[in-house]
Amino acid sequence: MQLGAHESIAGGIFNAPYRGQQATCDTIQIFNKSNNQWKAKELKQDEVDQYFEALAETGITVACSHNSYLINIASPDPALEEKSFLSLKEEVERCNRLKIPNLVMHPGSHVGSGEEPGMDRIAHNIDRLFAALPDNTVNLCLETTAGQGSNLGCTFEQLAYIIDRVDNKAQMGVCLDTCHIFAAGYPITERADYLATVRHFDRTVGLDYLKVIHVNDSKKPFASRRDRHEHIGKGEIGLEAFRHLVNDRRLKKVFMVLETPKEADLKDDVKNLKLLRSLIKKPAKKKARR
């Protein structure tokens, strides 16, 4: 099981693995460009070379990149939809160049145009994306959302609807955010509820699509539809849910990444990761034969 956190690319994308090492990560999530700007700074070859050198030096893996918050390929506004499509395409191209296996994206917002039309636009634009990038090796991972406003992806059924309408399902994935699903109304604190929620996901979407888990507690109560992350065990979800998560053998190959609050010294990441690791049950020792 690879545990990690989202780490900053400030000063150059090659700095993120060193921050991950400082934070005791096995793996990291990054932005591959500024998350709140449309325009991307060119990735120069020397920066790319330094990035791969940093990965080799630290032994850190990059689980995923997270796309820009500006992108909305569900938009009913043709101009914004196209701008979003081109920005998403650029981010996938950058992930390919950096050999990042997964790009996590918020599915989008229908902005009053209706759920099905919004989801149809998402699927259509993903088909366009894969058609435009025939050599793509990156999984496009739809992230579960908390259900604020007209945001799509707050139910497992919505994710399944989108994936079902994409032609190239082999390069589709899902990122499950614990804070988001809790806020959207999926209980995970009690073991029975956790197991029922995972079964619901498996029946609806399929665990084979699950590539990344954002491991976050929630500042806001169950079914609040509000997305506010909290430190592990300090929020409304509580510690036991994360014990269930890190001991679920079905998820041992799924990247688990923190998006919890932190300062520049990364001590919060260290603390949260230490706590998560402490919840993992040690395998029972085999009795020696006499």
Side-chain angles (χ1 to χ4, degrees):
M1 182 174 290
Q2 291 203 34
L3 299 173
H6 182 101
E7 299 300 346
S8 170
I9 61 169
I13 203 163
F14 49 82
N15 285 319
Y18 295 113
R19 292 188 176 104
Q21 184 180 51
Q22 181 185 343
T24 72
C25 295
D26 306 311
T27 193
I28 58 173
Q29 173 181 272
I30 63 171
F31 293 120
N32 69 54
K33 57 178 281 296
S34 173
N35 66 308
N36 56 11
Q37 294 182 9
W38 288 105
K39 191 172 181 180
K41 182 182 176 184
E42 181 188 357
L43 264 180
K44 296 184 178 178
Q45 189 56 48
D46 62 337
E47 184 177 2
V48 174
D49 291 342
Q50 286 179 275
Y51 165 79
F52 285 116
E53 288 168 8
L55 292 179
E57 184 179 333
T58 61
I60 300 292
T61 64
V62 180
C64 54
S65 177
H66 196 299
N67 78 335
S68 167
Y69 298 135
L70 299 176
I71 291 172
N72 182 15
I73 58 172
S75 175
D77 177 349
L80 179 56
E81 180 187 10
E82 186 64 15
K83 193 172 186 177
S84 297
F85 169 78
L86 293 173
S87 183
L88 179 62
K89 177 174 176 284
E90 182 177 29
E91 291 207 24
V92 174
E93 289 171 330
R94 290 164 78 95
C95 282
N96 276 287
R97 188 174 176 192
L98 297 168
K99 297 182 180 178
I100 298 173
N102 303 296
L103 177 64
V104 173
M105 62 170 286
H106 295 166
S109 300
H110 63 76
V111 200
S113 64
E115 289 184 10
E116 285 197 10
M119 292 187 290
D120 289 339
R121 281 190 290 272
I122 293 169
H124 169 69
N125 282 306
I126 291 173
D127 278 340
R128 288 177 64 203
L129 175 73
F130 288 148
L133 300 172
D135 297 324
N136 173 56
T137 62
V138 178
N139 297 313
L140 194 61
C141 298
L142 303 173
E143 183 176 351
T144 55
T145 61
Q148 291 176 270
S150 64
N151 289 347
L152 297 164
C154 62
T155 69
F156 300 157
E157 286 77 11
Q158 287 182 352
L159 299 178
Y161 181 101
I162 296 166
I163 293 170
D164 187 56
R165 282 155 180 76
V166 172
D167 290 334
N168 183 5
K169 294 175 177 57
Q171 290 183 327
M172 291 300 296
V174 169
C175 170
L176 188 151
D177 187 303
T178 55
C179 171
H180 295 177
I181 65 169
F182 179 79
Y186 290 100
I188 55 174
T189 301
E190 300 298 329
R191 179 165 176 76
D193 288 337
Y194 168 84
L195 292 173
T197 292
V198 174
R199 281 197 300 270
H200 184 182
F201 179 90
D202 194 25
R203 286 196 306 266
T204 309
V205 180
L207 282 171
D208 287 346
Y209 283 108
L210 185 57
K211 308 297 183 185
V212 180
I213 297 175
H214 286 164
V215 187
N216 304 305
D217 211 323
S218 175
K219 287 182 183 291
K220 299 299 179 181
F222 178 71
S224 65
R225 290 187 171 250
R226 298 189 65 189
D227 174 13
R228 297 291 184 274
H229 298 183
E230 181 58 284
H231 296 295
I232 303 303
K234 300 295 185 184
E236 296 289 330
I237 297 176
L239 194 59
E240 287 307 300
F242 301 99
R243 191 188 307 276
H244 310 324
L245 189 72
V246 298
N247 289 292
D248 191 332
R249 293 182 180 181
R250 296 166 296 180
L251 309 180
K252 64 182 180 180
K253 293 185 179 179
V254 179
F255 295 109
M256 297 192 184
V257 181
L258 296 166
E259 290 182 321
T260 43
K262 61 185 171 188
E263 302 295 334
D265 62 13
L266 304 181
K267 288 181 179 178
D268 289 316
D269 280 353
V270 173
K271 185 176 180 180
N272 281 312
L273 287 170
K274 183 178 180 180
L275 179 56
L276 284 176
R277 290 178 177 126
S278 76
L279 300 176
I280 300 173
K281 294 178 182 176
K282 304 293 189 294
K285 291 183 179 180
K286 292 183 180 179
K287 291 182 179 180
R289 292 182 180 178
R290 292 184 178 179

